[in-house]
Amino acid sequence: MAPLLPLMFFLMFSSNSAQGPPSPGYNPSSKISTVGFDQGFRNLWGPKHQNLDQGVLTIWLDSSSGSGFKSLHPYRSGYFGAAVKLQPGYTAGVITSFYLSNNEEHPGNHDEIDIEFLGTTPGKPYTLQTNVYIRGSGDGNIIGREKKFHLWFDPTQDFHNYAIVWNPTEIIFLVDDVPIRRYQRKSDATFPLRPMWAYGSIWDASTWATEDGKYKADYNYQPFIGRYNNFKLGGCTADGPTTTSCQPPSASPSGATGLSQQQYSAMEWVQRNYLVYDYCQDPKRDHTQTPEC
């Protein structure tokens, strides 16, 4: 039996290294009901590049247009999620996104919380970019708070759930219920507090999306397609009667702010193994503009 031992150890190591993050022990998505696209969203632009079929929303980008959608209501806080399946192959320059923003309400001075999938070239993984803007775009002094991740799975093979939890004290980004980033409210100046809508879109960001703009969108590979389903909107709307009965959501099993120890362990595993950029660690950034670092 002795010759089998090295093989057994190899198989054990291989399976452990490929199995993904440790369980967070809690699934915030299970507390939020799924809504149909038409129940929670509407087309915003590119209506001819958007199709809804059996609960799956397909949006696409070609040389004539991309497409985007928007929630029916603005929110003061909430859980915002969707399952997304990305296109394989050459997708450089293309961004597929799910995010919160009030840019239409406050042009040039808006808040934003982003989940953006940065397109790539064959053989290289997608990058998931998380970002937070506070009153900071269009004024010539854009201050992004980007953290970028690779994923422990291939996001082109199947739908995976991506979500933002935004409440008055923190923002938590989740992938399949695993927290990957927590952004705390350390001051009012560095935290988005004004109501926002939920959006999704696919668009050409060739100037910066893939390796800082090295690779551009190539329309020989069009159309570029993003697929969404399992939409979740659970939160306090900002356009209805103000009521104290609406409780901001929590990502924690305790219902409080923060995360459980098991959730922290899962998040630390992701950041240790798959975090590829952190704005707080970038020596080229002016960190007087990001005091939360």
Side-chain angles (χ1 to χ4, degrees), residues 24-219:
Y26 178 66
N27 297 330
S29 66
S30 68
K31 304 297 183 184
I32 309 296
S33 299
T34 298
V35 299
F37 176 78
D38 290 332
Q39 291 176 276
F41 296 90
R42 63 173 178 84
N43 174 260
L44 181 63
W45 61 283
K48 294 182 179 179
H49 289 67
Q50 183 167 313
N51 179 62
L52 184 63
D53 183 30
Q54 297 184 336
V56 176
L57 178 77
T58 302
I59 59 176
W60 62 93
L61 167 72
D62 60 26
S63 56
S64 66
S65 179
S67 187
F69 57 91
K70 178 183 180 180
S71 63
L72 299 177
H73 302 283
Y75 293 83
R76 291 180 284 115
S77 62
Y79 176 105
F80 309 90
V84 183
K85 184 179 180 182
L86 301 172
Q87 177 160 314
Y90 188 101
T91 56
V94 178
I95 286 184
T96 310
S97 67
F98 185 75
Y99 63 102
L100 309 179
S101 180
N102 50 34
N103 63 313
E104 293 175 283
E105 193 79 7
H106 303 286
N109 186 34
H110 77 274
D111 310 298
E112 192 165 307
I113 304 171
D114 292 331
I115 291 175
E116 297 175 306
F117 301 96
L118 311 185
T120 188
T121 54
K124 294 183 180 179
Y126 267 90
T127 298
L128 186 159
Q129 175 168 280
T130 65
N131 203 354
V132 180
Y133 287 110
I134 299 95
R135 299 178 183 269
S137 183
D139 57 4
N141 188 29
I142 298 172
I143 303 170
R145 292 168 167 82
E146 303 92 345
K147 287 193 178 184
K148 301 179 185 180
F149 301 83
H150 289 158
L151 295 164
W152 51 95
F153 53 83
D154 182 348
T156 72
Q157 292 299 303
D158 204 351
F159 285 92
H160 289 267
N161 294 299
Y162 306 90
I164 296 164
V165 172
W166 169 49
N167 61 46
T169 62
E170 65 192 356
I171 299 161
I172 295 173
F173 298 87
L174 301 127
V175 176
D176 289 336
D177 281 314
V178 176
I180 63 169
R181 177 183 181 183
R182 180 177 181 231
Y183 181 89
Q184 294 175 265
R185 178 180 175 180
K186 295 184 177 179
S187 75
D188 290 357
T190 60
F191 196 84
L193 296 168
R194 298 178 294 180
M196 289 190 275
W197 284 257
Y199 293 83
S201 63
I202 189 166
W203 56 290
D204 186 334
S206 288
T207 55
W208 64 271
T210 305
E211 299 184 35
D212 295 323
K214 179 179 178 181
Y215 298 100
K216 316 291 187 187
D218 183 344
Y219 288 98

